[in-house]
Amino acid sequence: MASISDNLSHIHQEIDKALSQEKSGRKVRLLCVSKTKPDEMIKEAYAAGERCFGESYATEACDKIERLKAAGLNDIEWHFIGPVQKNKTRQIAAHFDVVESLDREIIADRLSEQRPEGMKPLEVYIEVNISGEEQKSGCAPDDAEKLIAHVRSKPNLRFTGLMGIAQDTADQQKILQEFSMLRDMFVRLKKSNPELVNLSIGMTHDLKEAIACGSTEVRIGTAIFGPRVYAQPRLGDSAKLSFIGGGNMASCIFRSVLKHCSPRNITVSGPHVEKLEHFRQDGAAVTSDNLEAARAGSVIFLGVKPQVLTGVLEELAASGTDFSDKLVISMAAGYKLSSISRILHSERLVRIMPNTPASLGEGITAVAYGSGVSAEDKELVRLLLDGMGKSVEGSEQDLNVIGVIAGCGPAFVYRFMESLISESVKHGLDEQASREIVEQLLKGSADMVIHNQDTPVSKLREAVTSKGGTTFAGLTKMTEGHFEDTMHEAVEAALKRTAEFESMY
Ligand SMILES: *Cc1c(COP(=O)(O)O)cnc(C)c1O
């Protein structure tokens, strides 16, 4: 394996090569991104001459900074580049020289207020969401100017830069387009903000594109320190889980999380305690007091119906509990993250849409993350859901589509099975035999699809359909009966209903 100093000389060469094309004589700062990496690696990079380091996780970072200062590494410039959580601003204001990831006014207020006396103003870059991906942090491009004005009004902050993260894609044109958008904004805003000198764009995989688009600072982790390995999260004994609402899906998730968490650390609430008896028998605490359950948990599952969720959230919010300390996971269909955050004042939110086969560990669960969810939170969510089958992560819009295809889907499939069973019975087979035949049919057909990943499903269909044969005759009738149109209309109707629900909350 190449040493860190070899990696660094290679990166500096890459930067110089990219710059040599433009013949401008300008320099690009290298920020060494050391998140998740041990002190020893930082010391090696320091010994090779590096003085700018970037970190993303506040607690980990502040511990490192203190240790390295104590070890005599006093002249490092520390940049915070991860999502800033409200309850971490004091630590960050006391330890960092630059915060690159500012994207909300409230964070600016707190950082300025909490910057310790005697330290020079905290340098701040505004992070702009240039990829337009919902789950990415950063303010919307249109909101940047207002946020900059706000930062400039703060006595202990100094606005000096813009930061952006391009979409993680192989599409070079898309990356160039996103970086150019930020560069244009940088050039325009510079005119009225003389202190704006930093354009922080470019990571390991898009360094060249970033420099071509005028980057003044690249943030490089992997190419210097190697790939990051995130420790397998374990729910330690201190992790407490709460379920508000104890219905079928809550039971299903409960069983999934029992693999990782002692039932002693779980509290379940619902209006009728007697209906929570099976949770109690499994060792969990049960209560009719939602607030008691919410206070007990560091992770809270909201399993109540969307119609009553607003009332429940308002009750929780009225208690004054700080929900940014808690990871809140909602399974209320059609209830938007923004509606939850409006009431709870936290962005550490997750929406999930499981489907009923999850109760057998064969489900497909759609997951959408709020902007305050950290990489560790995501690992935790994956861990908690792993007993339910597969999960797919996407935007809230994706979640709605998956909710229809996979959530309503079992009912569509059952409807199809019912028809086949009843046809079989009409022709004289008994009910039980008909059911067994149709069960095995669905299972076997699904396995054929799963085991032939390179074959389109239509090809599998053609393989059982010889022209003029029996299957062909049957399929022709399905086409004449507008099977495709029926499925299309079924999906559209369900999506429309989803949108109607979303607009209600
Ligand atoms: C982790 C991280 C980087 C470094 O990414 P690499 O692909 O490892 O170079 C840069 N910027 C931000 C905001 C990061 O979180």
Side-chain angles (χ1 to χ4, degrees):
M1 212 178 85
S3 72
I4 286 176
S5 71
D6 290 344
N7 290 344
L8 281 165
S9 14
H10 181 73
I11 285 286
H12 283 294
Q13 274 169 21
E14 290 278 301
I15 295 175
D16 290 343
K17 202 166 82 197
L19 279 172
S20 68
Q21 321 228 316
E22 60 184 67
K23 306 191 171 62
S24 61
R26 72 188 184 94
K27 292 225 175 324
V28 168
R29 170 199 276 156
L30 173 61
L31 183 74
C32 304
V33 177
S34 48
K35 63 187 180 206
T36 80
K37 298 296 177 183
D39 297 5
E40 295 317 310
M41 286 190 161
I42 299 177
K43 287 181 185 162
E44 266 186 78
Y46 182 91
E50 299 303 327
R51 291 296 179 270
C52 287
F53 289 83
E55 289 279 340
S56 297
Y57 309 111
T59 309
E60 174 202 328
C62 294
D63 290 349
K64 268 186 199 169
I65 294 172
E66 281 175 15
R67 286 193 304 265
L68 289 166
K69 281 206 166 131
L73 279 63
N74 284 313
D75 55 344
I76 291 180
E77 187 174 292
W78 290 102
H79 291 226
F80 191 81
I81 60 175
V84 187
Q85 290 172 2
K86 247 199 296 182
N87 58 346
K88 299 288 162 62
T89 48
R90 186 176 299 279
Q91 264 180 309
I92 293 171
H95 287 85
F96 282 85
D97 303 290
V98 183
V99 170
E100 297 199 11
S101 42
L102 190 97
D103 62 0
R104 294 183 284 164
E105 290 188 359
I106 173 86
I107 300 296
D109 297 346
R110 293 174 69 105
L111 288 173
S112 178
E113 205 177 289
Q114 296 169 342
R115 181 71 166 173
E117 227 168 282
M119 286 180 88
K120 60 181 186 350
L122 179 66
E123 257 191 71
V124 162
Y125 303 178
I126 302 292
E127 181 179 353
V128 183
N129 182 348
I130 53 175
S131 69
E133 294 166 281
E134 239 179 277
Q135 72 276 21
K136 282 270 172 74
S137 44
C139 72
D142 289 343
D143 298 338
E145 267 181 87
K146 180 156 174 281
L147 184 55
I148 290 168
H150 187 80
V151 170
R152 291 186 66 183
S153 75
K154 295 282 144 189
N156 297 326
L157 302 183
R158 197 157 75 83
F159 167 65
T160 68
L162 296 179
M163 190 268 259
I165 304 172
Q167 192 175 337
D168 187 4
T169 168
D171 181 352
Q172 200 195 16
Q173 285 312 312
K174 176 109 182 52
I175 294 172
L176 287 170
Q177 197 186 350
E178 291 174 7
F179 283 158
S180 312
M181 191 260 275
L182 197 64
R183 189 250 339 266
D184 293 348
M185 190 167 175
F186 176 73
V187 171
R188 181 167 56 81
L189 294 173
K190 240 166 130 49
K191 296 188 182 122
S192 47
N193 296 274
E195 289 194 315
L196 174 53
V197 291
N198 299 299
L199 178 60
S200 172
I201 47 176
M203 302 165 46
T204 294
H205 72 277
D206 53 21
L207 170 133
K208 283 198 212 72
E209 290 84 353
I211 293 180
C213 291
S215 170
T216 70
E217 173 187 324
V218 289
R219 308 177 308 270
I220 307 294
T222 310
I224 301 173
F225 300 110
R228 286 176 290 276
V229 184
Y230 287 92
Q232 212 5 294
R234 281 277 157 255
L235 277 172
D237 253 7
S238 61
K240 304 268 194 262
L241 267 51
S242 300
F243 289 84
I244 298 189
N248 289 340
M249 272 304 155
S251 304
C252 171
I253 295 173
F254 177 79
R255 278 193 299 275
S256 168
V257 305
L258 278 184
K259 289 205 301 184
H260 307 286
C261 178
S262 156
R264 281 179 290 106
N265 291 342
I266 304 180
T267 308
V268 185
S269 71
H272 308 289
V273 190
E274 62 283 3
K275 291 197 182 149
L276 306 176
E277 186 54 23
H278 62 287
F279 292 105
R280 204 185 56 76
Q281 279 175 5
D282 280 334
V286 302
T287 170
S288 59
D289 183 349
N290 290 336
L291 190 54
E292 184 188 327
R295 285 213 167 111
S298 50
V299 178
I300 301 175
F301 285 93
L302 298 171
V304 300
K305 296 218 163 56
Q307 307 87 285
V308 299
L309 184 55
T310 303
V312 168
L313 291 174
E314 279 167 355
E315 181 199 348
L316 300 184
S319 72
T321 307
D322 180 2
F323 281 92
S324 61
D325 277 346
K326 301 174 185 289
L327 180 64
V328 176
I329 304 174
S330 164
M331 41 188 144
Y335 206 103
K336 288 201 289 281
L337 289 170
S338 58
S339 307
I340 303 174
S341 74
R342 199 169 50 230
I343 305 176
L344 288 190
H345 302 294
S346 166
E347 307 288 339
R348 229 181 127 199
L349 306 172
V350 185
R351 253 182 88 183
I352 60 171
M353 283 284 281
N355 65 355
T356 51
S359 60
L360 302 172
E362 291 289 345
I364 181 110
T365 302
V367 185
Y369 294 110
S371 58
V373 174
S374 68
E376 287 141 280
D377 289 339
K378 291 183 187 178
E379 284 300 318
L380 184 63
V381 171
R382 288 175 199 132
L383 182 78
L384 292 174
L385 300 182
D386 73 354
M388 308 214 302
K390 296 192 174 170
S391 38
V392 258
E393 299 174 7
S395 66
E396 286 194 278
Q397 182 50 34
D398 296 339
L399 187 109
N400 291 341
V401 175
I402 301 164
V404 167
I405 302 291
C408 310
F412 298 163
V413 173
Y414 302 148
R415 187 75 180 72
F416 180 72
M417 292 174 83
E418 284 174 70
S419 302
L420 283 179
I421 292 170
S422 100
E423 288 310 314
S424 166
V425 170
K426 268 186 210 161
H427 289 280
L429 275 75
D430 73 31
E431 181 85 35
Q432 182 56 29
S434 302
R435 178 176 168 137
E436 271 170 34
I437 292 162
V438 173
E439 279 169 8
Q440 186 56 29
L441 162 70
L442 269 277
K443 201 157 180 267
S445 308
D447 279 343
M448 286 292 284
V449 174
I450 292 166
H451 288 135
N452 292 282
Q453 284 297 318
D454 297 332
T455 314
V457 180
S458 60
K459 283 274 175 292
L460 293 174
R461 170 172 51 76
E462 283 162 19
V464 275
T465 317
S466 45
K467 191 128 193 163
T470 51
T471 313
F472 182 81
L475 281 173
T476 304
K477 280 291 166 200
M478 285 179 84
T479 308
E480 285 172 14
H482 305 290
F483 181 75
E484 221 124 55
D485 295 343
T486 303
M487 287 312 299
H488 170 72
E489 281 164 26
V491 169
E492 290 304 312
L495 277 173
K496 182 159 168 273
R497 201 76 188 103
T498 307
E500 284 165 11
F501 282 126
E502 271 200 337
S503 66
M504 276 161 57
Y505 309 118

